[in-house]
């Protein structure tokens, strides 16, 4: 509001033809309604100070009409959101008050034309300022602007430069000195395109100040073009080229005083340009500089995508081949119960003299004679001589020795079966790892396909800046996705957290790239640090948690982690190990720790779950399982993904409505093949997501819904504490369990 007040006062002094100042009204018609009132008061004071009583009161009356129209139509959103609404709201009162003055002072075609031109320029100013406000209210940085949006920003800036023109130091105008300096910086970082664009816009607007300054349109435009042409040579060549070009165009005025004043203004602007540090206004590079690296990097990007995709398919084929071969071998080498009896016969009958009679005589024994004891053998695990049929005992003189041999062979058979089952489990885990690697490579290929360009030139400049900050980067990637969002990824040999200043890194890299970056995410692994920065999202999230440990112990089976991954996503992970105490704490902690490391490293949720599941399966011979509950919020768009593996339900409050997120699934660590059950939603500012462990809902879920639905603007930490305390108080069955609650509320960034 203070900024609106100051800009209103300043814009009231932006004049055309020295007598008309409609841009204070333009600002009042463009700002959001809460800021329009401060701009009204600032502009009103400015009009009284700069325009005198008669003209000033006319403009104040126009602004009153603007405020009244906007307040009257404030409920009609379709009209308020139209891009030309500010222009019409501004131009109609300006022209109407001009007609009112004509009706009193007498009709004049010249004055009518000037009042119409004033209303037209005021409406144009309102349009450009309103578009600029919309642009900077969003998440777009200057490097993401379209040519139309960039034109609105430049022309809005020139309007405020016009308000500085009346201020002078001797023969020099402060506004024109500032305009020349801006043109020089635009040419320095934008080349011909930047110099010509800034020069044309500044010349077109500032030449409206008076008839005597009409030459500025040609001088600034031609000077900016020549400055951009000489920008690759150096700053001195750039300033010399601009000065000569502007002087040539100024000579057409025929007024020595204007030429001399223009020369002074150019000299002062050049001195300011040369005195400031070389990287001043480097953000303009992202606006005007062409992306020369995109064409060179495109072939490499496509090659990487094809290689990753082919490797993914090859690993998928390996998984299928392993399964096919194991099935065929199982049919060939798998032992059967009949082999147990054959081995027992070989051990017992090979040394018996009655072997020929028993096995070759018509009334002897056969392998079918053993079928009678199979059921007993499988039920008891062993047999005795009495378990054979009577006819077998009469014919066999070594029944007791045969029973012992069968028992020994059966023990070996059972051990082989157990080993085969374990081998099958390991085989499935290994095959699952091949499948997981295939998924990882497939996701990487898709991720690279989503990135539109890789800026190698900017990556080199970022590398140099990181070295200046005292780091030792080994690799730097700077890429832009299809939505125009830039991501910086760097790997450094520095693992001392005290060396890396996140705030300084954000400041310096934002200045180099001309974009606003969010706080970097740091991941440490194997003696290196991975640094990831993304552009500042439009949303932030207040995140809090609260926990109760079963029996007020020290080890909790619930394990919670939440973090931002450096790509604009907030992720929360809640895992619940089987049971309570130390064993559950180990399983839950292992699951959440692995999940966090894999997601931070850039792996997808499905691939990460498969690896976590395999780790729990092979961790020990005992059964080991844990639920996994993951919530991921895209802070750019507000889209939220819920992924559950055996986890309890979650709650989402959108406005005044509350929804349950409950999908059936199995926890990790039970079966080799496991998948997340997934659901998605879209959040807006003020919406709340609450995750709970199963201990919180042991006495029902309705009371949790009531607490969340009636929660006001108090902090999320109080919400978590309230739910945990209520869950403990409601537990009346004499049992206790671990309870964990996580709450996240979306807020404007």
């Amino acid at each position: 509001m203070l900024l609106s007040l100051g800009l209103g006062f300043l814009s009231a002094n932006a004049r055309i033809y020295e007598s008309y100042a409609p841009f204070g009204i333009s600002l009042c018609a463009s700002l959001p309604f809460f800021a329009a009132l401060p701009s009204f008061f600032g502009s009103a004071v400015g009009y009284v100070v700069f325009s005198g009583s008669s003209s000033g009161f006319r403009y104040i009356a126009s602004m009153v009409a603007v405020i009244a129209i906007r307040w009257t139509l404030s409920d009609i959103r379709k009209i308020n959101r139209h891009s030309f609404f500010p222009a019409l709201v501004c131009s109609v009162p300006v022209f109407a008050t001009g007609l009112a003055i004509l009706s009193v002072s007498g009709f004049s075609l010249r004055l009518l034309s000037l009042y119409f031109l004033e209303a037209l320029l005021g409406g144009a100013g309102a349009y450009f300022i309103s578009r600029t406000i919309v642009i900077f209210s969003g998440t777009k940085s200057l490097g993401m602007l379209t040519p139309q949006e960039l034109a609105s920003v430049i022309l809005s800036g020139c309007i405020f430069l016009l308000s500085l023109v009346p201020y002078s130091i001797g023969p020099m105008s402060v506004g024109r000195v500032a305009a020349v300096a801006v043109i020089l910086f635009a040419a320095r970082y934008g080349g011909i395109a930047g110099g010509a664009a800034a020069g044309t816009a500044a010349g077109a607007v500032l030449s409206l100040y008076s008839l005597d300054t009409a030459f500025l349109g040609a001088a600034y435009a031609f000077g900016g073009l020549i400055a951009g042409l000489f920008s690759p040579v150096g700053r001195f060549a750039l300033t010399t080229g601009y000065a000569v070009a502007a002087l040539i165009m100024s000579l057409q005025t025929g007024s020595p005083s204007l030429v001399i004043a223009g020369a002074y203004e150019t000299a002062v602007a050049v001195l300011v340009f040369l005195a400031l540090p070389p990287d001043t206004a480097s953000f303009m590079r992202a606006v005007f500089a062409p992306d020369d690296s995109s064409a060179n990097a495109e072939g490499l990007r496509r090659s990487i995508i094809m290689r990753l995709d082919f490797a993914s398919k090859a690993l998928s084929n390996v998984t299928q081949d392993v399964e096919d071969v194991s099935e065929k071998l199982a049919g060939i080498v798998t032992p059967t119960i009949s082999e147990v009896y054959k081995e027992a016969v070989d051990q017992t009958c090979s040394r018996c003299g009655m072997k020929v009679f028993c096995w070759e005589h018509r009334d002897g024994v056969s392998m079918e004679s053993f079928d009678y004891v199979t059921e007993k053998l499988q039920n008891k695990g062993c047999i005795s001589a009495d378990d054979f049929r009577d006819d077998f005992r009469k014919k066999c003189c070594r029944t007791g020795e045969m029973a012992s041999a069968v028992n020994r062979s059966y023990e070996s058979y059972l051990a082989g079966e157990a080993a085969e089952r374990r081998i099958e489990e390991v085989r499935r885990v290994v095959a699952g790892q091949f499948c997981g690697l295939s998924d990882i490579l497939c996701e990487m290929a898709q991720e690279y396909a989503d990135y539109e360009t890789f800026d190698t030139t900017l990556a080199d400049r970022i590398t140099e800046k990181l070295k200046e900050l005292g780091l030792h980067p080994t690799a730097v990637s700077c890429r832009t996705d299809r939505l125009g969002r830039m991501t910086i990824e760097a790997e450094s040999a520095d693992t001392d957290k005290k060396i890396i200043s996140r705030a300084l890194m954000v400041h310096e890299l934002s200045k180099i790239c001309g974009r606003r970056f969010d706080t970097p995410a740091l991941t440490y692994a194997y003696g290196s640090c991975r640094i990831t920065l993304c552009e500042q999202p439009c949303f932030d999230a207040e995140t809090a948690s609260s926990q109760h440990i079963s029996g007020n112990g020290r080890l909790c089976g619930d394990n919670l982690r939440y973090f931002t991954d450096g790509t604009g996503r907030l992720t929360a992970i809640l895992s619940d190990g089987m049971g309570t105490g130390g064993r559950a704490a180990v399983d839950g902690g292992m699951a959440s720790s692995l999940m966090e490391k894999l997601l931070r490293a850039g792996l997808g949720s499905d691939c990460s779950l498969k690896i976590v599941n395999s780790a729990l399966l092979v961790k020990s011979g005992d059964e080991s399982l844990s639920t996994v509950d993951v919530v991921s919020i895209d802070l750019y768009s507000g889209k939220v993904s819920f992924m559950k593996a055996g986890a309890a339900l979650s709650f989402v409050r959108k406005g005044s409505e509350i929804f349950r997120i409950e999908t059936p699934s199995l926890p990790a660590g039970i079966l080799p093949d496991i998948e997340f059950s997934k659901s998605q939603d879209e959040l807006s500012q003020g919406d709340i997501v609450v995750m709970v462990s199963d201990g919180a809902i042991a006495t029902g879920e309705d009371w949790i819904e009531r607490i969340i639905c009636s929660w006001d603007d108090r902090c999320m930490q109080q919400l978590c504490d309230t739910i945990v305390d209520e869950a403990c108080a409601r537990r009346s069955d004499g049992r206790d369990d671990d309870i964990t609650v996580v709450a996240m509320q979306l807020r404007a960034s």
Side-chain angles (χ1 to χ4, degrees):
M1 294 174 72
L2 290 174
L3 179 63
S4 302
L5 186 72
L7 292 177
F9 180 81
L10 193 65
S11 61
N13 200 29
R15 306 178 195 174
I16 54 176
Y17 304 133
E18 296 185 358
S19 302
Y20 303 94
F23 296 113
I25 308 168
S26 302
L27 185 67
C28 188
S30 306
L31 290 171
F33 196 75
F34 76 90
L37 292 178
S39 71
F40 169 81
F41 290 113
S43 299
V45 174
Y47 280 130
V48 172
V49 172
F50 300 126
S51 299
S53 58
S54 59
S55 297
F57 287 126
R58 176 207 162 200
Y59 291 130
I60 293 173
S62 299
M63 287 194 296
V64 171
V66 168
I67 295 293
I69 294 173
R70 293 188 62 184
W71 180 79
T72 304
L73 301 177
S74 60
D75 292 333
I76 309 177
R77 294 187 177 182
K78 187 174 183 180
I79 295 178
N80 278 271
R81 292 178 178 177
H82 199 283
S83 58
F84 288 106
F85 178 70
L88 290 174
V89 170
C90 172
S91 57
V92 170
V94 171
F95 189 58
T97 54
L99 292 178
I101 292 178
L102 281 179
S103 65
V104 175
S105 61
F107 179 79
S108 169
L109 183 60
R110 176 179 175 276
L111 287 177
L112 178 65
S113 301
L114 289 174
Y115 285 139
F116 178 77
L117 180 61
E118 180 188 35
L120 186 64
L121 291 175
Y127 174 80
F128 292 129
I129 294 174
S130 65
R131 299 307 300 164
T132 301
I133 292 171
V134 171
I135 291 167
F136 286 107
S137 297
T139 59
K140 277 192 173 183
S141 61
L142 292 178
M144 300 166 61
L145 300 184
T146 64
Q148 292 79 5
E149 293 171 334
L150 182 59
S152 298
V153 174
I154 293 175
L155 289 171
S156 299
C158 290
I159 290 174
F160 292 105
L161 286 178
L162 180 62
S163 65
L164 299 176
V165 171
Y167 300 104
S168 61
I169 303 174
M172 298 179 298
S173 165
V174 175
R176 288 197 289 269
V177 171
V180 174
V182 170
I183 294 170
L184 294 176
F185 278 113
R188 169 75 175 86
Y189 294 107
I192 295 177
T200 302
V205 176
L206 269 63
S207 63
L208 295 173
Y209 181 73
S210 69
L211 294 176
D212 294 335
T213 58
F215 72 94
L216 292 178
Y220 287 173
F222 186 54
L225 178 66
I226 298 301
L229 185 65
F230 284 97
S231 62
V233 182
R235 293 198 296 169
F236 291 99
L238 181 152
T239 53
T240 302
Y242 174 85
V244 173
L247 179 62
I248 292 174
M249 302 307 296
S250 300
L251 291 175
Q252 64 179 327
T253 63
S255 173
S257 60
L258 290 176
V259 174
I260 294 173
Y264 282 140
E265 292 165 354
T266 300
V268 172
V270 167
L271 290 176
V272 171
F273 174 75
L274 296 176
L276 291 174
D279 60 349
T280 302
S282 59
F283 64 89
M284 290 186 177
R285 179 181 286 108
V287 180
F288 298 110
D291 188 6
D292 296 330
S293 62
S294 59
N296 298 328
E298 179 63 19
L300 177 61
R301 183 177 75 96
R302 293 187 176 278
S303 176
I304 292 174
I305 293 171
M306 287 189 293
R307 291 289 299 275
L308 290 174
D309 186 60
F310 185 79
S312 170
K313 293 176 180 177
L315 283 174
S316 181
N317 290 335
V318 169
T319 304
Q320 188 60 45
D321 291 343
V322 169
E323 294 289 345
D324 294 341
V325 172
S326 62
E327 287 180 5
K328 292 180 180 179
L329 288 177
I332 298 174
V333 302
T334 300
T336 61
I337 192 68
S338 60
E339 294 180 357
V340 172
Y341 301 136
K342 288 180 180 178
E343 184 177 353
V345 169
D346 291 340
Q347 294 176 4
T348 306
C349 300
S350 60
R351 302 184 304 275
C352 181
M354 299 295 292
K355 177 181 179 182
V356 176
F357 175 80
C358 290
W359 292 101
E360 296 182 6
H361 193 271
R362 180 170 59 85
D363 296 326
V365 298
S366 64
M367 292 303 297
E368 287 75 10
S369 303
F370 290 90
D371 293 340
Y372 179 76
V373 298
T374 299
E375 184 177 355
K376 297 180 180 180
L377 182 63
Q378 291 175 343
N379 291 335
K380 297 189 301 182
C382 62
I383 58 173
S384 64
D386 296 335
D387 292 324
F388 287 100
R389 287 190 312 190
D390 293 339
D391 59 339
F392 183 87
R393 290 199 304 270
K394 292 177 181 178
K395 296 174 183 177
C396 180
C397 60
R398 296 188 177 185
T399 307
E401 188 177 345
M402 178 66 76
S404 299
V406 169
N407 290 336
R408 289 194 300 271
S409 181
Y410 187 65
E411 288 178 0
S412 300
Y413 168 77
L414 292 179
E417 267 195 340
E420 185 63 29
R421 284 195 299 269
R422 189 59 180 167
I423 291 172
E424 177 64 21
E425 292 176 0
V426 174
R427 184 186 300 116
R428 288 187 178 182
V429 170
V430 173
Q433 292 301 308
F434 281 121
C435 186
L437 287 173
S438 172
D439 293 340
I440 290 172
L441 295 178
C442 184
E443 285 188 357
M444 292 175 65
Q446 183 59 46
E447 181 181 358
Y448 279 108
D450 290 338
Y451 285 111
E452 192 75 15
T453 58
F454 287 81
D455 194 332
T456 54
T457 304
L458 194 55
D460 293 339
R461 297 184 62 242
I462 293 171
T463 302
E464 295 301 320
K465 178 57 67 176
L466 292 177
K467 290 180 180 178
E468 292 178 12
L469 296 177
L471 302 179
H472 302 83
T474 56
V476 175
S477 170
C478 180
R479 54 187 186 257
T480 307
D481 63 18
R482 299 186 187 279
L483 299 177
R485 300 192 298 234
M486 180 177 288
T487 301
I488 298 174
E489 206 170 28
E491 187 172 330
S492 172
D494 304 282
T495 56
D496 187 355
K497 298 181 180 180
K498 297 180 180 179
I499 297 178
I500 303 176
S501 172
R502 302 192 188 199
L504 182 60
M505 185 184 302
V506 169
H507 175 73
E508 294 296 333
L509 297 187
S510 297
K511 189 164 60 175
I512 288 177
C513 301
R515 298 169 183 254
R516 294 177 294 173
F517 285 102
D518 199 7
T519 304
L522 307 180
T523 306
Y524 299 90
Y526 298 105
S528 64
C529 175
R530 180 173 176 260
I531 306 169
T532 308
L533 292 91
C534 66
E535 291 196 53
Q536 187 175 13
C538 57
F539 292 114
D540 196 359
E542 180 188 353
T543 306
S545 62
S546 184
Q547 197 168 63
H548 165 74
I549 302 177
S550 175
N552 295 318
R554 292 186 302 168
L555 298 176
C556 183
D558 297 344
N559 198 282
L560 168 68
R561 296 163 188 262
Y562 47 85
F563 56 90
T564 54
D565 63 358
T567 60
R569 284 193 300 268
L570 170 66
T571 302
I573 304 170
L574 176 59
S575 60
D576 184 2
M578 181 178 63
T580 59
R583 178 61 183 272
V586 170
D587 293 340
M590 178 180 176
S592 61
S593 176
L594 283 176
M595 201 74 188
E596 180 191 11
K597 290 178 180 178
L598 295 170
L599 292 177
R600 279 182 178 272
L603 272 67
S605 57
D606 291 327
C607 298
S608 301
L609 179 63
K610 289 181 179 180
I611 295 175
V612 170
N613 186 59
S614 298
L616 289 173
L617 284 172
V618 302
K619 178 173 71 72
S620 66
D622 298 331
E623 187 179 49
S624 180
L625 60 91
S626 175
T627 66
V628 181
D629 194 358
V630 179
V631 172
S632 180
I633 303 176
D634 187 338
L635 297 178
Y636 288 106
S637 62
K639 292 183 179 179
V640 57
S641 299
F642 299 91
M643 293 157 280
K644 295 183 179 294
L649 77 166
S650 300
F651 303 90
V652 179
R653 193 188 79 177
K654 301 175 65 177
S656 59
E657 295 183 282
I658 191 163
F659 304 92
R660 295 183 181 185
I661 307 299
E662 186 174 14
T663 51
S665 56
L666 291 174
I670 297 179
L671 299 175
D673 299 323
I674 184 174
E675 293 182 352
F676 274 126
S677 61
K678 300 179 181 179
S679 60
Q680 289 186 333
D681 206 337
E682 188 164 347
L683 305 177
S684 57
Q685 184 175 340
D687 292 346
I688 298 176
V689 176
V690 177
M691 305 168 64
V692 297
S693 63
D694 57 0
I697 58 174
T699 58
E701 306 92 13
D702 295 341
W703 62 271
I704 299 180
E705 288 187 354
R706 289 194 295 270
I707 291 177
I708 300 172
C709 194
S710 61
W711 196 254
D712 52 21
D713 292 334
R714 286 172 290 171
C715 68
M716 292 296 100
Q717 186 61 55
Q718 291 179 337
L719 174 60
C720 294
D721 294 339
T722 301
I723 296 176
V724 169
D725 293 341
E726 183 68 16
C728 294
R730 284 175 170 267
R731 198 69 185 253
S732 59
D733 56 0
R735 300 177 60 187
D736 199 4
D737 196 1
D738 298 320
I739 300 173
T740 302
V741 178
V742 191
M744 295 167 280
Q745 185 175 33
L746 215 60
R747 302 182 183 272
S749 180

